[in-house]
Structures are given as C-alpha cells and as structure tokens.
Amino acid sequence: MSGSLVVVGTGPGKAELMTPASQAALARATDLVGYGPYLDRVPVRSDQCRHASDNRVELDRARLALSLASAGRQVAVVSGGDPGVFAMAAAIFEAVESGDPAWRGLDIRVEPGVTAMLAAAAEVGAPLGGDFCAISLSDNLKAWTTVERRLKAAAEADFVIALYNPASKARPHQLGQAFELLRTVKAAATPVLFVRAAGTAEAEVITTTLGAADPSRADMRTLVIIGASTTRQVGRWVYTPRSERGAP
Ligand code: SAH
C-alpha cells in the first residue's frame, strides 16, 4: 500500500471541537507525528506509532513525517487548532519544496480544524462579525519590525485584530509594546479581550479596553482580540456589528 500524509488539527481543546473528519484521519493512521502536548490530546492505539517531538523543530518533524509517508506509512501530523493557522501544514509544504523531489508526488492532505480565534470569539459573543485579521506576535520566524508594520496597518485599516502567540517566557515584553503601538492609532476605549483556554472547560475571559489592558494577563494559552471602532459590549457579550454604520 502506498503511503500518505494527512495534517490534522485537534481544535482548541475540547474533544467535541475536533471534527469527525479529523478523528477519522487519525483512526486510519499507522503513525502519529507531532509536538508532545498536542499528541497527548488524541487517543493513540497500541497498533499506532507515536513520534512526539519538541515544539521548536517543526521542519525536522515535517521531514520525518514525509520520510515515513514515502516509506509507505499512513502518517497523521497533529497540530493544535487548525493545522494551517500558524502550524504544521505550512512546515510540511516548506519541507516538500526544499526536500526530495519524489515528495511532490505523495498523497498529502490537510484537514481543517477549529482555530483558537474562532473558539475565543465564541466565548465572548461575536467580535469577529466585521472584517478582521490574525497576526502572530511571535518573532521566532519573522522580524519584530514586520510585526509592528502589520499591527499599525491593521489598526489604520480598522480591522478587528486577533493576536496569536501574544506572550511566552522568552518574549514577555512584546504584547506591551504592541498595545503601546495600537494606542497611537486606536481609541483608548476600544474593547480588548483576553481569552485563555478557549473551547476548553477552563476557559477564562477578561474584557477590558485598550487604555486599561494589562499585558501581563496573557500567556501562551491566551488569544487576544482587539476590537475595531464599531466593536461594542451588550450585556456580558462583545460583538462587532456587520454594518459599518454600526448598530442597531
Ligand atoms: N494552529 C493553532 C495556533 C497555533 S499558535 C490554531 O489554529 O489555533 C499558538 C497560539 O494559539 C497560542 O499562543 C495562543 O495564542 C493560541 N491558542 C491556541 N489554543 C488556544 C486556546 N484554546 N485558547 C486561546 N488561545 C489559544
């Protein structure tokens, strides 16, 4: 039987938020490849091989998965959330591009998943009801000046902004710098949401404003949403009206 590779997302956490198609893809796999904590979220049968690795070596993990598939294995590469959003699917194609030309002929598929931004939005209402964008604050793979340029452009265009990777132990100051930059363009009253562990039983939400937002409230499991000029609160919910004229 010829090999295959499928890139699968676990969703944000709760088992029900993993799609049936992703569960079926995992069940068909002979080999599961991924960062340890993500692999821990999925059931592994005794007849399946588990290849857990460190988070920092995405490209090595991608090459391992491609080598296994070209040796005839049915490989599932596991990411959190959606596998195409700041995750493994792009690393797989990068490895294909720079690797063995035969890899281009492999059966490679990507299964969509529920990304953190959607789970976080659902915890608070409908903050992504108007135009929005997603930016990763991590400067592991891009320059901080690139992050700043994109934040400023997104603020000037009045997008709702979803920030992935807002903070880590290695990067404690960047979210504060991002808020400072956004305050030069957006109103201090702009709603800001810190959503931690969205789509899990431990979900926590902090609703604040750009003027008052405390960057130390974010960690690696937090998604930060910064509203557009029309984003508002109604009762305990936050939403962005679909009409730019505002609501109601
Ligand atoms: N592929 C993933 C994102 C990987 S980047 C996805 O589609 O969701 C990792 C970042 O995603 C984290 O630093 C955090 O900002 C965010 N994240 C992942 N799971 C989350 C969750 N359950 N709640 C809030 N943010 C989450």
Side-chain angles (χ1 to χ4, degrees), residues 7 18 30 40 49 58 78 118 130 137 157 159 208 224:
V7 201
M18 185 165 178
T30 56
D40 291 343
C49 300
E58 281 196 348
V78 182
L118 304 185
L137 272 201
F159 284 115
T208 178
V224 177

Side-chain angles (χ1 to χ4, degrees), residues 165-244:
N165 297 306
S168 78
K169 288 201 186 77
R171 301 179 290 105
H173 304 301
Q174 292 177 340
L175 183 59
Q177 286 172 249
F179 285 152
E180 282 304 314
L181 189 153
L182 293 172
R183 284 180 191 125
T184 66
V185 182
K186 286 170 148 320
T190 304
V192 170
L193 304 155
F194 291 74
V195 188
R196 184 166 193 283
T200 77
E202 301 97 55
E204 285 170 49
V205 176
I206 298 171
T207 304
T208 178
T209 62
L210 186 55
D214 172 2
S216 72
R217 305 301 291 268
D219 66 7
M220 281 172 69
R221 290 190 75 196
T222 307
L223 188 112
V224 177
I225 299 179
I226 297 130
S229 59
T230 51
T231 304
R232 65 194 67 206
Q233 253 186 290
V234 54
R236 63 194 157 84
W237 298 283
V238 174
Y239 82 109
T240 305
R242 299 192 57 205
S243 161
E244 72 169 348

Side-chain angles (χ1 to χ4, degrees), residues 7-11 38 58 79-91 93 110-118 132-136 141 162-165 223:
V7 201
V8 168
T10 61
Y38 294 142
E58 281 196 348
S79 273
D82 175 275
V85 177
F86 306 127
M88 277 306 291
F93 295 114
V110 180
E111 282 295 345
V114 177
T115 189
M117 173 175 74
L118 304 185
F132 61 86
C133 67
I135 298 177
S136 168
L141 300 167
L163 293 181
Y164 283 77
N165 297 306
L223 188 112

Side-chain angles (χ1 to χ4, degrees), residues 95-119:
V96 169
E97 193 174 6
S98 63
D100 183 344
W103 287 351
R104 296 177 189 221
L106 281 171
D107 171 10
I108 301 176
R109 283 173 303 116
V110 180
E111 282 295 345
V114 177
T115 189
M117 173 175 74
L118 304 185

